[in-house]
Amino acid sequence: MTENQNQQPLIRVENLSKTFTLHVQGDARIPVFADLSLEVATGECVALYGPSGTGKSTLLRSLYANYKPGGGHVWVRHGDDWVDMATAAPHRVLEVRRETMGYVSQFLRVIPRVSARDIVAEPLHALGRDLEAARAKAEVLLERLNIPEAMWDLAPATFSGGEQQRVNIARGFAVDYPILLLDEPTASLDAGNRAVVVELIREAKARGSALVGIFHDDEVREAVADRIFDVEAGALAA
Amino acid sequence: MNSASPLLRVNNLSHAFGNLLACSDISFELHSGEVLGVVGESGSGKTTLLNCLSARLMPTNGIVEYDLRDRGLTDIYALSEPERRFLLRTDWGVVMQNPRDGLRMGVSAGGNVGERLMAVGARHYGEIRGEAESWLSKVEMDLGRIDDAPKHFSGGMQQRLQIARNLVTKPRLIFMDEPTGGLDVSVQARLLDLLRGLVRELKLSAIIVTHDLAVARLLADRLMVMKDGKVVETGLTDQVLDDPHHPYTQLLVSSVLQV
Ligand SMILES: Nc1ncnc2c1ncn2[C@@H]1O[C@H](COP(=O)(O)OP(=O)(O)OP(=O)(O)O)[C@@H](O)[C@H]1O
Ligand SMILES: Nc1ncnc2c1ncn2[C@@H]1O[C@H](COP(=O)(O)OP(=O)(O)OP(=O)(O)O)[C@@H](O)[C@H]1O
Ligand SMILES: [Mg+2]
Ligand SMILES: [Mg+2]
């Protein structure tokens, strides 16, 4: 917790708020958080904490600009610039996602007819790395995550939940993103594969990445997190 | 990287058919390499908008500017007719919903692709043929059919041929109206996969009209949601689909199973 205190921040969340309004259900309002602030430094992993429904995933998705916050800012260090994901133009957000910020969602979104290898290689290839090199990196990750080689050429639509999850994790780690967001990456994994994910996270920290994650598994959380951020308290404290 | 000037800039575009306002006050920018999806219910003005953007229907109001290679952002309706036609043949591609409108049904498959190269000045028969063959195999067409006219092709084959015909001149911007409409699901998946690969490989910019949110999710970086001729919501594709704000978008997203 202390070793990173003087490190420079890569993420600065300021006074973020999010309320859903469900127009198809009588305009019901679901306030999730308000006035939430958080900083994450290089080499640091922050675990979001709180009971089910407090808004952990909502916060993570807001950092990635998958959800649009109602107010506040999500500043991220993008090269030499600071970009506010809450207000940046779409093409700028896409650029940040391509180069700076990765996100491992809780479930893999399968792409029809695209092989596991290519799903993993895609983000690296999109960054300009040639296809063969991107595929080679993908294979290393799939191997580390114990996806049998015979499955690399298959589209993951038929994979088991845990296998899909591992493909998803491999995709998230294919690029050495300076910032990485993880939504329950180990939820459906066995102990052996959880250990691999812990290793991957530690390597990313050692490279200087800033990570924000949700880890239901206490053991995993303790193994990787430098700090815990209580979403409810964080929103109240500000 | 592409924070600079846009490829296409649309300001306050409206189009009326008589007193029916098909598109109303639409403004947006498209940057190089971006894929914009246009979604909305039948009759909401998607095709009308696409026609106005692609220099095929003069809007009643507003300006469509395109970044011409030699002149920068230029009002496309201020161009002369031959200049506009040249633009459509070289820098742009238009894939029509009905392949019949986008292909020459009596001309061979190879000819459909080759004549686009000739229109931009290619003269060497062998090279034209070779380029046509390479594009036909890119869109997974059986080269044994290269001398057949598309009128007897299946819908999926016709659509793939239309894509080859439009991409052979290496356009920068491509307009597509329901590219997977009217095809059965397995053919759709194959076509989508093809389009997705080509868009990435060629770094194409594209505007794709579709009523299918799954297609939009797969192909588009950004979405524009239309209702009654107006744009009611825009944003990154995953943002619009996962966190829709406008009541109409919420209805649209909640009425399909999972996208
Ligand atoms: N896209 C959405 N549209 C409407 N409401 C949403 C949406 N996403 C989340 N919510 C609501 O926001 C609240 C917070 O949900 P969130 O998924 O962030 O919780 P969480 O802390 O991640 O919970 P869990 O531990 O169960 O995953 C919930 O009430 C949820 O219903
Ligand atoms: N040439 C025309 N003359 C008169 N009205 C037209 C013409 N073309 C379109 N319209 C009308 O303009 C409105 C918008 O039509 P448009 O074809 O743009 O809709 P769309 O969103 O593409 O619908 P769909 O999903 O059914 O293709 C409709 O009410 C249509 O009847
Ligand atoms: Mg959650
Ligand atoms: Mg139409």
Side-chain angles (χ1 to χ4, degrees):
Chain A
M1 168 164 182
T2 46
E3 73 199 45
N4 288 312
Q5 263 177 357
N6 300 319
Q7 302 279 17
Q8 58 157 331
L10 297 186
I11 306 175
R12 267 189 358 239
V13 179
E14 294 172 1
N15 311 107
L16 200 68
S17 61
K18 179 68 188 167
T19 294
F20 292 102
T21 305
L22 308 182
H23 295 289
V24 285
Q25 290 172 56
D27 292 338
R29 282 168 49 86
I30 305 177
V32 185
F33 47 74
D35 228 3
L36 182 151
S37 297
L38 167 69
E39 271 194 18
V40 189
T42 170
E44 189 181 32
C45 176
V46 172
L48 304 183
Y49 192 74
S52 177
T54 40
K56 303 181 293 295
S57 297
T58 299
L59 173 55
L60 213 57
R61 286 167 178 265
S62 302
L63 301 184
Y64 197 61
N66 175 226
Y67 285 176
K68 215 173 167 48
H73 306 280
V74 176
W75 294 104
V76 302
R77 181 79 193 231
H78 174 61
D80 294 329
D81 300 338
W82 283 93
V83 176
D84 181 7
M85 296 294 276
T87 56
H91 71 275
R92 191 77 166 143
V93 171
L94 290 173
E95 189 185 296
V96 171
R97 288 182 180 180
R98 203 162 46 235
E99 296 167 14
T100 297
M101 183 149 75
Y103 167 59
V104 177
S105 57
Q106 199 171 348
F107 301 101
L108 175 69
R109 190 173 286 285
V110 181
I111 308 167
R113 298 222 315 165
V114 179
S115 70
R117 182 198 284 108
D118 283 355
I119 286 183
V120 176
E122 210 166 57
L124 197 53
H125 185 47
L127 258 185
R129 185 79 70 88
D130 74 77
L131 195 55
E132 286 322 302
R135 283 181 172 151
K137 174 99 188 256
E139 290 176 2
V140 170
L141 284 160
L142 288 169
E143 180 141 37
R144 283 186 72 181
L145 286 153
N146 303 301
I147 301 289
E149 193 173 342
M151 300 177 83
W152 297 354
D153 282 322
L154 307 177
T158 57
F159 290 13
S160 75
E163 286 162 352
Q164 290 195 3
Q165 170 93 317
R166 280 178 278 149
V167 171
N168 206 22
I169 292 167
R171 179 179 162 98
F173 281 90
V175 173
D176 293 337
Y177 295 108
I179 297 173
L180 192 54
L181 313 173
L182 304 160
D183 196 343
E184 314 223 15
T186 57
S188 44
L189 302 189
D190 55 46
N193 284 307
R194 279 203 300 273
V196 176
V197 176
V198 167
E199 249 173 54
L200 287 170
I201 292 175
R202 286 182 166 160
E203 288 167 16
K205 286 169 65 176
R207 280 193 302 270
S209 298
L211 286 88
V212 183
I214 303 166
F215 310 99
H216 265 163
D217 186 296
D218 295 338
E219 223 172 287
V220 172
R221 188 170 55 244
E222 279 157 26
V224 299
D226 301 285
R227 188 150 64 88
I228 283 177
F229 182 79
D230 185 326
V231 173
E232 256 167 337
L236 291 174
Chain B
M1 181 180 94
N2 53 18
S3 317
S5 89
L7 190 63
L8 190 77
R9 184 160 72 195
V10 181
N11 265 313
N12 307 106
L13 183 151
S14 296
H15 190 78
F17 296 106
N19 48 25
L20 184 137
L21 196 54
C23 290
S24 170
D25 201 23
I26 294 171
S27 301
F28 70 93
E29 290 182 350
L30 184 80
H31 285 259
S32 170
E34 275 187 324
V35 178
L36 174 71
V38 181
V39 300
E41 66 197 356
S42 179
S44 58
K46 305 182 296 295
T47 296
T48 305
L49 173 64
L50 201 73
N51 289 342
C52 289
L53 299 178
S54 56
R56 292 171 306 140
L57 177 66
M58 167 104 99
T60 323
N61 249 306
I63 296 180
V64 181
E65 290 169 297
Y66 175 72
D67 180 23
L68 286 177
R69 290 176 204 248
D70 52 346
R71 273 185 267 177
L73 280 174
T74 307
D75 179 352
I76 57 168
Y77 287 99
L79 296 173
S80 69
E81 189 53 37
E83 284 175 319
R84 202 150 50 227
R85 270 205 306 271
F86 183 73
L87 182 65
L88 271 162
R89 277 202 310 257
T90 55
D91 252 26
W92 289 3
V94 183
V95 175
M96 315 276 252
Q97 174 165 9
N98 187 341
R100 238 164 278 277
D101 300 329
L103 289 173
R104 298 229 284 146
M105 298 309 273
V107 173
S108 72
N112 261 285
V113 178
E115 74 171 19
R116 297 287 292 224
L117 286 170
M118 288 166 66
V120 294
R123 287 291 170 267
H124 187 280
Y125 177 77
E127 281 168 16
I128 294 172
R129 174 97 181 174
E131 191 68 11
E133 279 180 4
S134 126
W135 269 97
L136 290 175
S137 38
K138 258 203 190 101
V139 299
E140 303 175 25
M141 292 270 300
D142 175 3
L143 288 185
R145 306 294 299 269
I146 188 168
D147 294 317
D148 296 349
K151 58 175 168 249
H152 302 304
F153 288 1
S154 70
M157 283 168 72
Q158 289 178 349
Q159 204 55 305
R160 280 180 278 137
L161 179 60
Q162 212 195 158
I163 289 166
R165 175 179 159 91
N166 273 284
L167 293 186
V168 67
T169 51
K170 305 204 170 53
R172 291 158 84 201
L173 175 58
I174 163 156
F175 300 92
M176 297 193 248
D177 198 350
E178 303 278 5
T180 61
L183 302 176
D184 68 50
V185 176
S186 65
V187 180
Q188 265 194 32
R190 193 159 156 212
L191 190 69
L192 275 177
D193 180 36
L194 173 77
L195 280 175
R196 196 169 167 275
L198 289 173
V199 161
R200 278 153 197 253
E201 186 190 324
L202 305 172
K203 305 217 177 342
L204 280 176
S205 311
I207 300 184
I208 302 178
V209 165
T210 177
H211 67 273
D212 186 334
L213 297 184
V215 169
R217 167 86 80 175
L218 220 49
L219 293 179
D221 302 310
R222 286 164 53 203
L223 283 189
M224 215 154 77
V225 183
M226 289 186 69
K227 181 173 168 34
D228 301 331
K230 294 188 189 66
V231 172
V232 296
E233 185 158 357
T234 65
L236 290 168
T237 300
D238 60 89
Q239 209 174 64
V240 171
L241 296 180
D242 295 340
D243 185 14
H245 281 216
H246 191 276
Y248 175 69
T249 318
Q250 291 189 355
L251 189 66
L252 203 66
V253 170
S254 66
S255 32
V256 290
L257 284 174
Q258 208 212 359
V259 283

